[in-house]
């Protein structure tokens, strides 16, 4: 792992969970970690309820756009976090993987999306502490 580790968050649509996780890691780590997110079947836009839930905690993810997962992006990442994409998230050899079981916020009311947001924050905090300890 280089001096500045890179983390890739992957979910199917890259519109909710992975975008919230990337937003949290950018917020908590600043520029100490390179943060990426992608989807195996990206949506056209970020879930507006996820945007609102993140806005409530002072994190703006409106400038993010769902993108398709590419081999190059995965290959350039030190850690790959998958979120509910099962077999549609390919495995890239030699990478550290974690699979986070999280409720899909798509179509969920704001109360459920807040719970997902807070669960993601807790997991991202743990990931960040681990990455900082390894440096």
């Amino acid at each position: 792992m280089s001096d500045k580790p890179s983390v890739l968050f992957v979910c199917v649509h890259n519109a909710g969970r992975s975008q919230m996780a990337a937003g949290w890691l950018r917020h908590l780590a600043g520029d100490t970690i390179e943060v990426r997110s992608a989807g195996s079947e990206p949506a056209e836009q970020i879930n507006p309820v996820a945007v609102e839930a993140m806005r409530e905690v002072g994190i703006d993810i409106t400038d993010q756009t769902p993108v398709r997962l590419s081999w190059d992006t995965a290959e350039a990442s030190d850690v790959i976090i998958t979120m509910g994409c099962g077999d549609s998230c390919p495995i890239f050899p030699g990478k550290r993987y974690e699979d986070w079981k999280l409720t899909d916020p798509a179509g969920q009311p704001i109360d459920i999306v807040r719970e997902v947001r807070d669960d993601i924050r807790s997991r991202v905090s743990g990931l960040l502490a681990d990455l900082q300890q390894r440096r």
Side-chain angles (χ1 to χ4, degrees):
M1 201 176 296
S2 69
D3 288 342
K4 185 174 181 177
S6 58
V7 175
L8 170 62
F9 295 102
V10 183
C11 65
V12 176
H13 297 119
N14 191 221
R17 294 168 287 194
S18 57
Q19 293 287 356
M20 288 192 288
W24 274 121
L25 188 55
R26 286 184 191 103
H27 177 75
L28 296 171
D31 65 356
T32 64
I33 294 180
E34 188 171 345
V35 181
R36 303 176 173 113
S37 70
S40 55
E41 299 172 27
E44 294 200 13
Q45 67 179 19
I46 295 181
N47 178 338
V49 183
V51 170
E52 177 59 29
M54 294 300 284
R55 182 177 291 130
E56 290 176 355
V57 294
I59 300 172
D60 182 5
I61 59 172
T62 58
D63 63 340
Q64 301 301 306
T65 304
V67 297
R68 181 167 303 282
L69 176 63
S70 73
W71 179 269
D72 291 342
T73 300
E75 195 168 53
S77 301
D78 297 308
V79 179
I80 299 174
I81 308 292
T82 58
M83 304 173 179
C85 49
D87 292 340
S88 64
C89 283
I91 300 295
F92 295 90
K95 301 297 170 187
R96 173 182 164 188
Y97 273 87
E98 291 184 27
D99 184 43
W100 293 354
K101 306 288 187 212
L102 297 162
T103 300
D104 186 350
Q108 298 290 342
I110 189 73
D111 290 347
I112 299 297
V113 177
R114 286 179 185 128
E115 290 175 12
V116 174
R117 174 200 66 202
D118 296 345
D119 186 2
I120 290 171
R121 183 192 195 287
S122 176
R123 293 170 189 252
V124 166
S125 293
L127 174 66
L128 178 58
D130 181 63
L131 290 172
Q132 289 171 333
Q133 186 176 30
R134 290 175 187 243
R135 288 173 62 177

